[in-house]
Amino acid sequence: MRTEAVPTLWVFCRIAVDPSVESPAVGPLPHHGAVRADKAEAPVRLLVVDDEPHIADLVATVAKYEGWHARVANNGSAALSEAAAFNPDIVVLDLMLPDLDGFTVLDRLRATGAMVPVVFLTAKDATADRVAGLTRGGDDYLVKPFAVEELMARLRAVLRRTTGPGWKRSVLAVEDLELDEDTREVRRGEENVSLTPTEFELLRYLMRRSPAVLTKAQILDHVWDYDFGGRSNVVELVISHLRRKLDTDNEPLIHTIRGVGYVVRKAT
């Protein structure tokens, strides 16, 4: 039996603990922020194949939060059946499955003529395993334990490479503030703004949920991990940095709602 550092997944997942967020069994999670029309017209169809349900469901949940359609398979046979029925745009595939290994699943997919891109997600971290995964037809290879954000970034990169000009980036926009989720670029009007990773994640969360007001607890759960033990004023500190970078010499977009929390929206 193999073991993995599962808590690492949750540290990097940064999903808001909020009653409005739906589970994978319910359906796609809602986008509350303004997503520009240059997002792909049809949602990406993702098939996640992993024999550990907590990992497969976690990846599917994050993908649905991104607006994708996602299905889960917990063994190789189920993966082949789901692929035939679902016709995924991209597959996350574990190498070590209880019936067929990941290489066999990939070979059988290719034998049907399916050229769907595949990203291997596995605990096998030897160089020989990585080389084998890429030479056997995988488009990328990520080792467990992993950050879900890195996995999503790799999936988007693979889609850009394999889909070409047809793949459109996801850009969040509130007034003249734009945040590109793929390139991680932020622009206020005509000016590019450089943000730290934490500043970027906090701003993205606020923009995705705009015009909803988010509490400090929600922000801590999303941007930091659920058992974060740092300073209690860390949210105010990062908000202050964002205001200096984004709202100086511009109409303020980051607002404090006293006794409630923070919001990104046009002043009313």
Side-chain angles (χ1 to χ4, degrees):
M1 178 181 296
R2 66 185 194 279
T3 60
E4 296 169 23
V6 174
T8 302
L9 300 176
W10 289 104
V11 169
F12 289 96
C13 177
R14 298 169 181 157
I15 291 295
V17 180
D18 188 298
S20 65
V21 176
E22 301 177 18
S23 69
V26 174
L29 296 165
H31 270 294
H32 297 275
V35 181
R36 279 224 320 240
D38 54 356
K39 191 160 178 81
E41 292 183 4
V44 174
R45 297 185 303 276
L46 170 67
L47 176 60
V48 185
V49 185
D50 199 296
D51 64 331
E52 297 185 75
H54 61 278
I55 293 179
D57 291 342
L58 172 60
V59 175
T61 298
V62 174
K64 290 183 179 185
Y65 185 75
E66 296 286 333
W68 294 13
H69 288 170
R71 290 191 185 180
V72 168
N74 297 128
N75 59 61
S77 298
L80 294 172
S81 297
E82 285 286 358
F86 185 45
N87 189 28
D89 297 309
I90 192 164
V91 176
V92 172
L93 180 59
D94 190 1
L95 279 179
M96 296 182 289
L97 298 170
D99 52 355
L100 309 173
D101 64 46
F103 290 139
T104 301
V105 172
L106 179 57
D107 290 342
R108 293 190 182 182
L109 281 175
R110 296 289 185 254
T112 67
M115 298 309 294
V116 57
V118 170
V119 174
F120 285 117
L121 180 64
T122 177
K124 302 180 72 172
D125 60 355
T127 300
D129 294 321
R130 295 172 185 263
V131 171
L134 297 173
T135 57
R136 288 284 293 271
D139 296 272
D140 204 345
Y141 192 105
L142 186 60
V143 175
K144 300 175 183 178
F146 64 100
V148 181
E149 290 175 355
E150 180 183 359
L151 174 61
M152 294 303 300
R154 287 173 180 261
L155 291 174
R156 288 192 290 265
V158 169
L159 285 168
R160 285 197 298 271
R161 293 198 305 266
T162 57
T163 307
W167 170 253
K168 303 297 183 182
R169 298 197 308 271
S170 173
V171 179
L172 302 176
V174 176
E175 296 300 314
D176 63 343
L177 175 62
E178 295 183 351
L179 181 149
D180 191 315
E181 296 186 285
D182 293 328
T183 66
R184 300 182 71 85
E185 294 176 322
V186 176
R187 178 182 293 270
R188 181 75 197 267
E190 299 299 319
E191 299 294 326
N192 290 321
V193 182
S194 177
L195 301 182
T196 67
T198 301
E199 291 167 352
F200 181 90
E201 292 304 327
L202 197 158
L203 179 63
R204 175 162 68 170
Y205 184 40
L206 288 172
M207 292 182 70
R208 273 187 167 274
R209 300 287 292 172
S210 177
V213 179
L214 300 176
T215 67
K216 184 189 298 184
Q218 287 176 306
I219 294 171
L220 283 170
D221 281 337
H222 186 87
V223 180
W224 290 269
D225 59 281
Y226 63 93
D227 60 352
F228 176 70
R231 292 176 297 173
S232 61
N233 67 339
V234 65
V235 175
E236 292 93 331
L237 183 63
V238 178
I239 289 287
S240 175
H241 292 169
L242 284 172
R243 282 183 169 136
R244 286 202 297 269
K245 292 183 178 183
L246 297 171
D247 286 349
T248 301
D249 300 325
N250 292 295
E251 178 185 359
L253 290 178
I254 303 173
H255 306 284
T256 301
I257 308 302
R258 190 173 300 277
V260 183
Y262 301 95
V263 61
V264 169
R265 67 187 181 200
K266 185 177 180 178
T268 56

